[in-house]
Amino acid sequence: MASLSRALRVAATCPRRSRTRGLGLRALTGQAGPAAEKSVPYRRTLKDPQGPSTVARGPSQPLPSTAHVVVIGGGSLGCQTLYHLAKLGVSGAVLLERERLTSGTTWHTAGLLWQLRPSDVEVELLAHTRRVVSHDLEEETGLHTGWIQNGGLFIASNRQRLDEYKRLMSLGKAYGVESHVLSPAETKALYPLMNVDDLYGTLYVPHDGTMDPAGTCTALTRAAAARGAQVIENCPVTGIRVRTDDFGVRRVAAVETEHGSIQTPCVVNCAGVWASAVGRMAGVKVPLVAMHHAYVVTERIEGIQNMPNVRDHDASVYLRLQGDALSVGGYETNPIFWEEVSDKFAFGLFDLDWDVFTQHIEGAINRVPVLEKTGVKSTVCGPESFTPDHKPLMGEAPELRGFFLGCGFNSAGMMLGGGCGQELAHWIVHGRPEKDMYSYDIRRFHHLLTDHRRWIRERSHESYAKNYSVVFPHDEPLAGRNMRTDPLHEIKKECLACRGAAAVFNMSYFGKFYLVGLDARKAADWLFSADVSRPPGSTVYTCMLNHRGGTESDLTVSRLAPGPQASALTPAFEGDGYYLAVGGAVAQHNWSHISTVLQDQKFRCQLIDSSEDLGLISIQGPASRAILQEVLDADLSNEAFPFSTHRLVRAAGHLVRAMRLSFVGELGWELHVPKPACVPVYRAVMAAGTKHGLVNAGYRAIDSLSIEKGYRHWHADLRPDDSPLEAGLAFTCKLKSAVPFLGREALEKQRAEGLRRRLVCFTVDEKVPMFGLEAIWRNGQVVGHVRRADFGFAVDKTLAYGYIRDPSGQSVSLDFVKSGDYAVERMGVAHPARAHLKSPFDPDNKRVKGIY
Ligand SMILES: Cc1cc2nc3c(=O)[nH]c(=O)nc-3n(C[C@H](O)[C@H](O)[C@H](O)COP(=O)(O)OP(=O)(O)OC[C@H]3O[C@@H](n4cnc5c(N)ncnc54)[C@H](O)[C@@H]3O)c2cc1C
């Protein structure tokens, strides 16, 4: 039997160009041929003992004619989603599996579950999966899922990595996840077979563990069936029937199979690497790619029993305990794409390409030297789906109502399955997930990118290769750049802005929508938490809420006067008209949210996307008025052009919409400019601004300036699981009026019961970098964690925003906030902090009014 060291030697001695795929494997294991499927010992434990002859002559049960929900795919995600739907009381949900449960990717998973990740939401999702597999399922079904709690150990081979682990440890404290930073000597005592000579330290999480795919899926479906759900195997879905309702909205009507159809208003696509094919059946774009992903299983290793699983991030390798052996796997820089995803592939594996896999062996042997002399028992190389940002694809597809995605799990679909299954079920039943799932929501991707094959492929490749990289703040991907460019792209330069004179920001990527029509006013009243139905010429900062009072978006809404002719700046409309400006990265999310509400409420109005027709140039700072007065043909005095108003003006001869607003806390205007006029208007602004010290500025400057002023960033300190009352944005809610709006009832209830948590600004005098996820201490207890942090250059301090709770469970009053003694813990070190009820910079809001 080949050993790992032999694999390394074979790979090293074979000239790269002369080796063919599979040669390494054949040389090492003696197996022949580059077969698409290969045998491994696990097959027998997961497949029917009688083998493939029992497969697919017909469905394992008769198909019902109707179902509330049909889940497609019986892997980790399908089974978890079915189980959670059943738990939420959805009667008669049906799961259709083409072959047998787990036969896609799930059956050969490594099944590792690590509780700590650099995201608070993911920590919660993982905790739920762990709860389900280690406790709930066994209690409900009496079946052991195969969960093994052997602990997890992250290896730090450099200081930055250890810093990252210390940050995780601090976040873990906010969620009750026990973890310890260990020295090399302590690590050696815990894991005697490990080489610790080159370590800086490790992070040990004793309650991490390993999931068993067959045991988990069996228990999930058993528990779901006990609550009335149905699992039908050997039943490939062949089509999705779509109907168009009276309002022109496309909706799911039925699922078709070779054995009949099921009428249903709701389908969940949990088809793993086949999810794109299932999406195509419904005209839905599913931006994922299929790649080979692999580990090898060693022979017995004396002394390895009961050791924790290991992730050596810097070597991009993991070592999973498998009885008295190890599984060794990792993420390669040059993964193999599965170009032609076959729909005949069930319980299948690929031959391992040792050319690609060899890069893990050196790291594995370095970490556990006994591996050098340990044989390889088998190789496991299977298909898995990967996405452009290494995050799953979930939620309702923008193209089709009732069509949900639960796919694209980037080799984390076992450990995220429980949390995501629960959120997906909630999404289906209540129209929204319970947690902030924006990072996973399919609507985070602009519709121009979801079928851009090159962009999807290149970004997914980079994300795969960087999976174990240190997550540095503000890290930007390199792949797939410039596939969508803005009107100022040609001449834009990046530099830092300052609060001195003025800065110009190119914000052309903002989403720019018109909401117009006979019911537009009714729709605006319902959609927006603030009163936006003020006279034409007004601009209002508002939130959009979900029915739980959570914040789906913050945006500005400008009331329009009807225009005589349609143009990019004013569409022709009957009834009322509003112009909406929303953050660029969340434009698709906003579009989908508004469209869904309009459809659900049957409002007679149109939502028009003008994002690609208009640029947005924003000039901010004390000198902005003097600069723009030279460029615009309008009086910019406070009296003639007050804050929070807009109007059509000419800029360097071009008609533009000028809006007096600020997102950085300065006197300033946004110019919404038809695309062809963007470059001349920008040049005129720069020409007028040079003598006033105008500088170009970028998004990082916005981050710092806006946190200093206390302006919220959606999806950072303001999310769908935060209400505007908790976030200190009560002023955006028309609660004093009698006008009903989406989320109002939830806000009223929250106000009556008292706030259970509250967003608080902290300043930290010590100059330590903070980026979010640090633990917040109050009077010696952890009361929350930081959502967003940055350095404020005018206040010369680090600023951090986080939601705090009262550990006694009481509501969080302003007195509670004021009376505490605070510290913010970063990487295990607590830094004294001061809580603020108002923004520490310009608390009286003078600068936006032009008072300097
Ligand atoms: C080598 C390897 C190691 C891994 N290690 C880990 C790990 O340690 N921890 C972790 O969390 N994750 C890990 N993963 C990832 C994890 O296993 C996957 O993310 C997860 O199993 C995917 O589950 P799924 O339900 O999305 O897809 P699948 O398991 O592929 O399920 C999709 C199902 O849909 C069915 N289907 C497809 N088309 C149709 C159709 N038309 N009609 C009906 N049914 C259809 C398929 O037959 C299949 O059963 C690993 C993956 C690999 C490859």
Side-chain angles (χ1 to χ4, degrees), residues 71-79 96-114 126 211 213 235-238 269-275 277-278 281 291-295 318 320 331 343 345-346 380-386 406-417:
V71 178
I72 302 175
S76 167
L77 266 299
C79 296
L96 298 181
E97 163 55 44
R98 189 184 60 191
E99 225 263 1
R100 303 282 302 279
L101 290 182
T102 75
S103 63
T105 292
T106 297
W107 71 280
H108 63 265
T109 186
L112 297 159
L113 188 148
W114 318 91
L126 293 164
M211 300 166 67
C235 189
V237 171
T238 52
N269 180 357
C270 296
V273 294
W274 298 272
V278 170
M281 295 175 191
M291 292 186 201
H292 293 199
H293 190 52
Y295 56 85
Y318 66 79
R320 166 200 190 254
Y331 292 82
D343 61 1
F345 197 92
V380 178
C381 179
E384 169 65 334
S385 48
F386 293 91
C407 50
F409 272 85
N410 303 285
S411 71
M414 286 307 296
M415 59 180 149
L416 287 173

Coordinates of all heavy atoms in Angstrom, one line a residue, residues 71-79 96-114 126 211 213 235-238 269-275 277-278 281 291-295 318 320 331 343 345-346 380-386 406-417, ligand 1:
V71 N -39.6 19.7 -2.1 CA -38.2 19.9 -2.0 C -37.5 18.9 -3.0 O -37.9 17.7 -3.1 CB -37.7 19.5 -0.6 CG1 -36.2 19.6 -0.5 CG2 -38.4 20.4 0.4
I72 N -36.7 19.5 -3.9 CA -36.0 18.6 -4.9 C -34.6 18.3 -4.4 O -33.7 19.2 -4.2 CB -35.9 19.3 -6.3 CG1 -37.3 19.7 -6.7 CG2 -35.2 18.4 -7.3 CD1 -37.4 20.5 -8.0
G73 N -34.3 17.1 -4.2 CA -32.9 16.7 -3.7 C -32.9 16.1 -2.3 O -33.4 16.8 -1.4
G74 N -32.4 14.9 -2.2 CA -32.3 14.3 -0.9 C -30.9 14.2 -0.3 O -30.5 13.2 0.3
G75 N -30.2 15.3 -0.4 CA -28.9 15.4 0.3 C -29.1 16.1 1.6 O -30.2 16.3 2.2
S76 N -28.0 16.6 2.2 CA -28.0 17.3 3.5 C -29.0 18.4 3.5 O -29.9 18.5 4.4 CB -26.6 17.9 3.7 OG -26.6 18.8 4.8
L77 N -29.0 19.2 2.4 CA -29.9 20.4 2.4 C -31.4 20.1 2.3 O -32.2 20.6 2.9 CB -29.4 21.4 1.4 CG -28.5 22.5 1.9 CD1 -29.2 23.3 3.0 CD2 -27.2 21.9 2.5
G78 N -31.6 19.1 1.4 CA -33.0 18.7 1.1 C -33.6 18.1 2.4 O -34.7 18.5 2.8
C79 N -32.9 17.2 3.0 CA -33.4 16.5 4.2 C -33.6 17.5 5.4 O -34.6 17.5 6.1 CB -32.4 15.4 4.7 SG -32.3 14.1 3.4
L96 N -38.5 15.0 -3.3 CA -38.3 14.1 -4.4 C -36.8 13.9 -4.6 O -36.1 14.9 -4.8 CB -38.9 14.7 -5.7 CG -40.4 14.9 -5.7 CD1 -40.9 15.5 -7.0 CD2 -41.2 13.6 -5.4
E97 N -36.3 12.7 -4.6 CA -34.9 12.4 -4.8 C -34.8 11.6 -6.1 O -35.5 10.6 -6.2 CB -34.3 11.7 -3.6 CG -33.0 11.0 -3.8 CD -31.9 11.9 -4.4 OE1 -31.7 13.0 -4.0 OE2 -31.2 11.4 -5.4
R98 N -33.9 12.0 -7.0 CA -33.7 11.3 -8.2 C -33.3 9.9 -8.0 O -33.8 9.0 -8.7 CB -32.6 12.0 -9.0 CG -32.4 11.6 -10.4 CD -31.3 12.3 -11.0 NE -30.0 12.0 -10.2 CZ -28.9 12.6 -10.4 NH1 -28.8 13.6 -11.2 NH2 -27.8 12.2 -9.7
E99 N -32.5 9.6 -7.1 CA -31.9 8.3 -6.9 C -32.3 7.8 -5.4 O -33.4 7.6 -5.1 CB -30.4 8.3 -7.2 CG -30.0 7.1 -8.1 CD -29.4 6.0 -7.2 OE1 -29.4 6.1 -6.0 OE2 -29.0 5.0 -7.8
R100 N -31.2 7.8 -4.6 CA -31.4 7.4 -3.2 C -31.0 8.6 -2.4 O -30.1 9.4 -2.8 CB -30.6 6.2 -2.9 CG -30.9 5.0 -3.8 CD -32.2 4.3 -3.4 NE -32.1 3.9 -2.0 CZ -31.5 2.8 -1.6 NH1 -31.0 2.0 -2.5 NH2 -31.4 2.5 -0.3
L101 N -31.5 8.7 -1.1 CA -31.1 9.8 -0.2 C -29.5 9.8 -0.1 O -28.9 8.7 -0.1 CB -31.6 9.6 1.2 CG -33.1 9.8 1.4 CD1 -33.5 9.6 2.8 CD2 -33.6 11.2 0.9
T102 N -28.9 10.9 -0.1 CA -27.5 11.2 0.1 C -26.7 10.8 -1.2 O -25.4 11.0 -1.2 CB -26.8 10.4 1.3 OG1 -26.7 9.0 0.9 CG2 -27.6 10.6 2.5
S103 N -27.3 10.3 -2.3 CA -26.5 9.8 -3.4 C -25.7 10.8 -4.2 O -24.9 10.4 -5.0 CB -27.5 9.0 -4.4 OG -28.4 9.9 -4.9
G104 N -25.9 12.1 -4.0 CA -25.2 13.1 -4.7 C -23.8 13.4 -4.1 O -22.9 12.5 -4.3
T105 N -23.7 14.5 -3.4 CA -22.4 14.8 -2.7 C -22.4 14.3 -1.2 O -21.4 13.8 -0.7 CB -22.2 16.3 -2.7 OG1 -22.0 16.7 -4.1 CG2 -21.0 16.7 -1.9
T106 N -23.6 14.3 -0.6 CA -23.6 14.1 0.8 C -23.0 12.8 1.3 O -22.3 12.8 2.4 CB -25.1 14.3 1.3 OG1 -25.5 15.6 1.0 CG2 -25.3 14.0 2.8
W107 N -23.2 11.7 0.6 CA -22.8 10.4 1.1 C -21.3 10.3 1.4 O -20.9 9.6 2.3 CB -23.2 9.3 0.2 CG -22.4 9.3 -1.1 CD1 -22.6 10.1 -2.2 CD2 -21.3 8.4 -1.4 NE1 -21.7 9.7 -3.2 CE2 -20.9 8.7 -2.7 CE3 -20.7 7.4 -0.7 CZ2 -19.9 8.1 -3.4 CZ3 -19.6 6.7 -1.4 CH2 -19.2 7.1 -2.7
H108 N -20.5 11.1 0.7 CA -19.1 11.0 0.9 C -18.4 12.2 1.6 O -17.2 12.4 1.5 CB -18.4 10.8 -0.5 CG -18.5 11.9 -1.4 ND1 -19.5 12.0 -2.4 CD2 -17.8 13.0 -1.6 CE1 -19.4 13.1 -3.1 NE2 -18.4 13.7 -2.6
T109 N -19.3 13.0 2.2 CA -18.7 14.2 2.9 C -17.8 13.8 4.0 O -17.8 12.7 4.6 CB -19.9 15.0 3.6 OG1 -19.4 16.2 4.1 CG2 -20.6 14.2 4.7
A110 N -16.9 14.7 4.4 CA -16.0 14.5 5.5 C -16.8 14.8 6.8 O -16.5 14.3 7.9 CB -14.8 15.4 5.5
G111 N -17.9 15.6 6.7 CA -18.8 15.8 7.8 C -18.3 16.6 9.0 O -18.8 16.6 10.1
L112 N -17.2 17.4 8.8 CA -16.6 18.2 9.9 C -17.6 19.3 10.3 O -18.1 20.0 9.4 CB -15.3 18.7 9.5 CG -14.2 17.7 9.1 CD1 -13.1 18.3 8.3 CD2 -13.7 17.1 10.4
L113 N -17.7 19.6 11.5 CA -18.4 20.7 12.0 C -17.5 21.6 12.9 O -17.1 21.1 14.0 CB -19.7 20.3 12.7 CG -20.7 21.5 13.1 CD1 -22.1 21.0 13.0 CD2 -20.4 22.1 14.4
W114 N -17.2 22.8 12.5 CA -16.4 23.7 13.3 C -17.4 24.8 13.8 O -18.1 25.3 12.9 CB -15.3 24.3 12.5 CG -14.6 23.4 11.6 CD1 -14.9 23.1 10.3 CD2 -13.4 22.6 11.9 NE1 -14.0 22.2 9.8 CE2 -13.1 21.8 10.8 CE3 -12.6 22.4 13.1 CZ2 -12.0 21.0 10.8 CZ3 -11.6 21.6 13.0 CH2 -11.2 20.8 11.9
L126 N -24.3 27.4 12.6 CA -23.6 26.2 13.0 C -24.1 25.6 14.3 O -24.2 24.4 14.5 CB -22.1 26.5 13.0 CG -21.5 26.9 11.7 CD1 -20.1 27.5 11.9 CD2 -21.3 25.6 10.8
M211 N -20.0 15.0 11.8 CA -21.3 14.5 11.5 C -21.3 13.3 10.6 O -20.4 13.2 9.7 CB -22.1 15.6 10.8 CG -22.3 16.8 11.5 SD -22.9 18.2 10.5 CE -24.5 17.6 10.1
P213 N -23.1 11.4 7.5 CA -24.2 11.8 6.5 C -25.4 10.9 6.5 O -26.5 11.3 6.5 CB -23.4 11.8 5.2 CG -22.2 11.0 5.4 CD -21.8 11.1 6.9
C235 N -37.1 9.1 -8.1 CA -38.1 10.0 -8.8 C -37.5 11.3 -9.3 O -37.6 12.3 -8.6 CB -39.2 10.2 -7.8 SG -40.6 11.0 -8.6
P236 N -36.8 11.2 -10.4 CA -36.2 12.4 -10.9 C -37.2 13.5 -11.4 O -38.2 13.1 -12.0 CB -35.4 11.9 -12.2 CG -35.4 10.5 -12.2 CD -36.6 10.1 -11.3
V237 N -36.9 14.7 -11.0 CA -37.7 15.8 -11.5 C -37.3 16.2 -12.9 O -36.1 16.3 -13.1 CB -37.6 17.0 -10.5 CG1 -38.3 18.3 -11.1 CG2 -38.2 16.7 -9.2
T238 N -38.3 16.3 -13.8 CA -37.9 16.5 -15.2 C -38.4 17.9 -15.7 O -37.9 18.3 -16.7 CB -38.5 15.4 -16.1 OG1 -40.0 15.4 -15.8 CG2 -37.9 14.1 -15.8
N269 N -35.1 24.2 -4.5 CA -34.1 23.5 -5.3 C -32.9 23.2 -4.4 O -32.0 24.0 -4.2 CB -33.7 24.5 -6.4 CG -32.6 23.9 -7.4 OD1 -32.1 22.8 -7.1 ND2 -32.3 24.7 -8.4
C270 N -32.8 22.0 -3.9 CA -31.7 21.5 -3.1 C -31.0 20.4 -3.9 O -30.6 19.4 -3.3 CB -32.2 20.9 -1.8 SG -33.0 22.1 -0.7
A271 N -30.7 20.7 -5.1 CA -30.2 19.6 -6.0 C -28.7 19.7 -6.1 O -28.1 19.1 -7.1 CB -30.8 19.7 -7.4
G272 N -28.0 20.3 -5.2 CA -26.5 20.3 -5.2 C -25.9 20.7 -6.5 O -26.3 21.8 -7.0
V273 N -24.9 20.0 -7.0 CA -24.3 20.4 -8.3 C -25.3 20.4 -9.5 O -25.0 20.9 -10.5 CB -23.0 19.6 -8.6 CG1 -22.0 19.8 -7.6 CG2 -23.4 18.1 -8.8
W274 N -26.4 19.7 -9.3 CA -27.4 19.6 -10.3 C -28.4 20.8 -10.2 O -29.4 20.9 -11.0 CB -28.2 18.3 -10.3 CG -27.2 17.1 -10.5 CD1 -26.9 16.6 -11.7 CD2 -26.5 16.4 -9.5 NE1 -26.0 15.6 -11.5 CE2 -25.7 15.4 -10.2 CE3 -26.4 16.5 -8.1 CZ2 -24.9 14.5 -9.5 CZ3 -25.6 15.6 -7.5 CH2 -24.8 14.6 -8.1
A275 N -28.2 21.7 -9.3 CA -29.1 22.8 -9.0 C -29.3 23.7 -10.3 O -30.3 24.3 -10.5 CB -28.8 23.6 -7.8
A277 N -29.1 22.8 -13.4 CA -30.0 22.1 -14.3 C -31.4 22.2 -13.9 O -32.3 22.5 -14.7 CB -29.6 20.7 -14.5
V278 N -31.7 22.1 -12.6 CA -33.1 22.2 -12.1 C -33.5 23.6 -12.3 O -34.7 23.9 -12.7 CB -33.1 21.7 -10.6 CG1 -34.5 22.1 -10.0 CG2 -32.9 20.2 -10.5
M281 N -34.8 24.3 -15.7 CA -36.2 23.8 -16.0 C -37.2 24.9 -15.7 O -38.4 24.9 -16.2 CB -36.5 22.6 -15.0 CG -35.7 21.4 -15.3 SD -36.1 20.2 -14.0 CE -34.8 19.0 -14.2
M291 N -17.1 21.4 -9.0 CA -15.7 21.1 -8.9 C -15.4 19.7 -8.3 O -16.3 19.3 -7.5 CB -14.9 22.1 -8.2 CG -14.8 23.5 -8.8 SD -13.7 24.5 -7.8 CE -14.3 26.1 -8.3
H292 N -14.3 19.1 -8.5 CA -13.8 18.0 -7.8 C -13.4 18.4 -6.4 O -12.6 19.4 -6.3 CB -12.7 17.3 -8.5 CG -13.0 16.7 -9.8 ND1 -12.2 15.7 -10.4 CD2 -14.1 16.9 -10.7 CE1 -12.8 15.3 -11.5 NE2 -13.9 16.0 -11.7
H293 N -13.7 17.7 -5.4 CA -13.2 18.0 -4.1 C -12.9 16.7 -3.4 O -13.7 15.7 -3.5 CB -14.3 18.8 -3.3 CG -13.8 19.4 -2.0 ND1 -12.7 20.2 -1.9 CD2 -14.4 19.3 -0.8 CE1 -12.6 20.5 -0.7 NE2 -13.6 20.0 0.1
A294 N -11.7 16.6 -2.7 CA -11.2 15.3 -2.3 C -10.6 15.2 -0.9 O -10.1 16.2 -0.4 CB -10.2 14.9 -3.4
Y295 N -10.6 14.0 -0.4 CA -9.7 13.7 0.7 C -9.2 12.2 0.5 O -9.8 11.5 -0.3 CB -10.4 13.9 2.1 CG -11.6 13.1 2.3 CD1 -11.6 11.8 2.8 CD2 -12.9 13.7 2.1 CE1 -12.8 11.1 3.0 CE2 -14.1 13.0 2.3 CZ -14.0 11.7 2.7 OH -15.2 11.1 3.0
Y318 N -6.8 19.8 6.0 CA -7.4 19.4 7.3 C -7.2 17.9 7.5 O -6.9 17.1 6.6 CB -8.9 19.7 7.3 CG -9.7 18.9 6.2 CD1 -10.1 17.6 6.5 CD2 -10.2 19.5 5.1 CE1 -10.9 16.9 5.5 CE2 -10.9 18.8 4.1 CZ -11.3 17.5 4.4 OH -12.0 16.8 3.5
R320 N -8.9 14.9 9.5 CA -10.2 14.5 10.3 C -10.0 13.1 10.9 O -9.5 12.2 10.2 CB -11.3 14.5 9.3 CG -12.6 13.8 9.8 CD -13.4 13.4 8.6 NE -14.7 13.0 8.9 CZ -15.1 11.7 8.9 NH1 -14.3 10.8 8.5 NH2 -16.3 11.4 9.2
Y331 N -7.9 22.4 0.2 CA -8.3 23.3 -0.9 C -7.1 23.6 -1.8 O -6.1 24.2 -1.3 CB -8.9 24.6 -0.4 CG -10.2 24.3 0.3 CD1 -10.2 23.8 1.6 CD2 -11.4 24.4 -0.4 CE1 -11.4 23.5 2.3 CE2 -12.6 24.0 0.2 CZ -12.6 23.6 1.6 OH -13.8 23.3 2.2
D343 N -26.3 13.7 -15.2 CA -27.4 13.4 -14.4 C -27.5 11.9 -14.1 O -28.5 11.4 -13.5 CB -28.7 14.0 -15.0 CG -29.0 13.4 -16.3 OD1 -28.3 12.5 -16.8 OD2 -30.1 13.8 -16.9
F345 N -25.0 10.4 -12.5 CA -24.0 10.2 -11.5 C -24.6 10.1 -10.1 O -25.1 11.0 -9.5 CB -23.1 11.5 -11.5 CG -21.7 11.3 -10.9 CD1 -20.6 10.9 -11.6 CD2 -21.6 11.6 -9.5 CE1 -19.4 10.9 -11.0 CE2 -20.3 11.5 -8.9 CZ -19.2 11.1 -9.7
A346 N -24.6 8.9 -9.5 CA -25.2 8.7 -8.2 C -24.2 7.8 -7.4 O -23.7 6.8 -7.9 CB -26.6 8.0 -8.3
V380 N -11.2 9.6 -1.8 CA -12.6 10.0 -2.0 C -12.6 11.4 -2.7 O -12.2 12.4 -2.1 CB -13.2 10.2 -0.6 CG1 -14.7 10.6 -0.7 CG2 -13.2 8.8 0.2
C381 N -12.9 11.3 -3.9 CA -12.9 12.6 -4.7 C -14.3 12.7 -5.4 O -14.6 11.9 -6.2 CB -11.8 12.5 -5.8 SG -11.8 14.0 -6.8
G382 N -15.1 13.6 -4.9 CA -16.5 13.7 -5.4 C -16.8 15.1 -5.9 O -16.0 16.0 -5.8
P383 N -18.0 15.3 -6.4 CA -18.4 16.6 -6.9 C -19.0 17.5 -5.8 O -19.6 17.0 -4.9 CB -19.5 16.3 -7.9 CG -20.1 15.0 -7.4 CD -19.0 14.2 -6.7
E384 N -18.7 18.7 -5.9 CA -19.3 19.7 -4.9 C -19.5 21.0 -5.6 O -18.8 21.3 -6.6 CB -18.4 19.8 -3.7 CG -18.7 21.0 -2.7 CD -20.1 20.8 -2.0 OE1 -21.0 20.2 -2.5 OE2 -20.2 21.4 -0.9
S385 N -20.5 21.8 -5.2 CA -20.8 23.0 -5.9 C -20.1 24.2 -5.2 O -20.0 24.2 -3.9 CB -22.3 23.2 -6.0 OG -22.9 23.0 -4.7
F386 N -19.6 25.2 -6.0 CA -19.0 26.3 -5.4 C -19.5 27.6 -6.1 O -20.0 27.5 -7.2 CB -17.5 26.2 -5.6 CG -16.9 25.1 -4.8 CD1 -16.7 23.8 -5.3 CD2 -16.5 25.4 -3.5 CE1 -16.2 22.8 -4.5 CE2 -16.0 24.3 -2.7 CZ -15.9 23.1 -3.2
G406 N -31.7 26.3 -2.3 CA -31.0 25.9 -1.1 C -29.8 25.1 -1.6 O -29.7 23.9 -1.4
C407 N -28.9 25.7 -2.2 CA -27.8 25.0 -2.9 C -26.5 25.9 -2.9 O -26.5 26.9 -2.3 CB -28.2 24.7 -4.4 SG -28.8 26.1 -5.2
G408 N -25.4 25.3 -3.5 CA -24.2 26.1 -3.6 C -23.4 26.1 -2.3 O -23.1 27.2 -1.8
F409 N -23.2 25.0 -1.6 CA -22.7 25.0 -0.3 C -21.2 25.0 0.0 O -20.7 24.9 1.1 CB -23.5 24.0 0.6 CG -24.7 24.6 1.1 CD1 -25.9 24.6 0.3 CD2 -24.7 25.2 2.3 CE1 -27.0 25.2 0.8 CE2 -25.9 25.8 2.8 CZ -27.0 25.8 2.1
N410 N -20.4 25.1 -1.1 CA -19.0 25.3 -0.9 C -18.3 24.5 0.1 O -17.6 25.0 1.0 CB -18.7 26.8 -0.6 CG -19.3 27.7 -1.6 OD1 -18.8 27.9 -2.7 ND2 -20.5 28.3 -1.3
S411 N -18.6 23.2 0.1 CA -18.0 22.2 1.0 C -18.2 22.5 2.5 O -17.4 22.2 3.3 CB -16.5 22.0 0.7 OG -15.8 23.1 1.1
A412 N -19.4 23.1 2.7 CA -19.8 23.3 4.1 C -21.3 23.0 4.3 O -21.9 23.4 5.3 CB -19.6 24.8 4.5
G413 N -21.8 22.2 3.4 CA -23.2 21.9 3.4 C -23.7 20.9 4.5 O -24.9 20.8 4.8
M414 N -22.8 20.2 5.1 CA -23.2 19.4 6.3 C -23.3 20.3 7.5 O -24.3 20.3 8.1 CB -22.1 18.3 6.5 CG -22.1 17.2 5.5 SD -23.7 16.4 5.3 CE -24.1 15.7 6.9
M415 N -22.2 21.1 7.8 CA -22.3 21.8 9.0 C -23.3 23.0 8.9 O -23.8 23.4 9.9 CB -20.9 22.3 9.4 CG -20.2 23.1 8.4 SD -18.5 23.6 9.1 CE -17.6 23.7 7.7
L416 N -23.5 23.6 7.7 CA -24.4 24.7 7.6 C -25.9 24.2 7.4 O -26.8 24.9 7.4 CB -24.0 25.6 6.5 CG -22.8 26.5 6.7 CD1 -22.4 27.2 5.5 CD2 -23.1 27.5 7.9
G417 N -26.0 22.9 7.1 CA -27.3 22.3 6.7 C -28.4 22.6 7.7 O -29.5 23.0 7.3
Ligands
LIG1 C1 -14.7 15.6 -0.3 C2 -15.7 16.5 0.4 C3 -15.6 16.8 1.7 C4 -16.5 17.5 2.3 N1 -16.4 17.8 3.7 C5 -17.3 18.6 4.3 C6 -17.1 18.8 5.7 O1 -16.2 18.4 6.3 N2 -18.1 19.5 6.3 C7 -19.2 20.1 5.6 O2 -20.0 20.7 6.2 N3 -19.3 19.8 4.3 C8 -18.4 19.1 3.6 N4 -18.5 18.9 2.3 C9 -19.6 19.5 1.6 C10 -21.0 18.8 1.9 O3 -20.8 17.4 1.8 C11 -21.9 19.3 0.8 O4 -22.0 20.7 0.8 C12 -23.3 18.8 1.0 O5 -23.3 17.4 1.2 C13 -24.2 19.2 -0.1 O6 -25.5 18.7 0.1 P1 -26.6 19.1 -0.9 O7 -27.9 18.6 -0.3 O8 -26.6 20.5 -1.3 O9 -26.2 18.3 -2.2 P2 -26.3 16.7 -2.6 O10 -25.9 15.9 -1.5 O11 -25.6 16.6 -3.9 O12 -27.8 16.5 -2.8 C14 -28.5 16.9 -4.0 C15 -29.4 15.8 -4.4 O13 -30.3 16.2 -5.4 C16 -30.6 15.1 -6.2 N5 -31.1 15.6 -7.5 C17 -30.4 16.2 -8.5 N6 -31.1 16.5 -9.5 C18 -32.4 16.0 -9.2 C19 -33.6 16.0 -9.9 N7 -33.7 16.5 -11.1 N8 -34.7 15.4 -9.3 C20 -34.6 14.9 -8.0 N9 -33.4 14.9 -7.4 C21 -32.3 15.4 -7.9 C22 -29.3 14.3 -6.3 O14 -29.5 13.0 -6.6 C23 -28.7 14.5 -4.9 O15 -29.0 13.4 -4.0 C24 -17.6 18.1 1.6 C25 -17.8 17.8 0.3 C26 -16.8 17.0 -0.3 C27 -17.0 16.7 -1.8

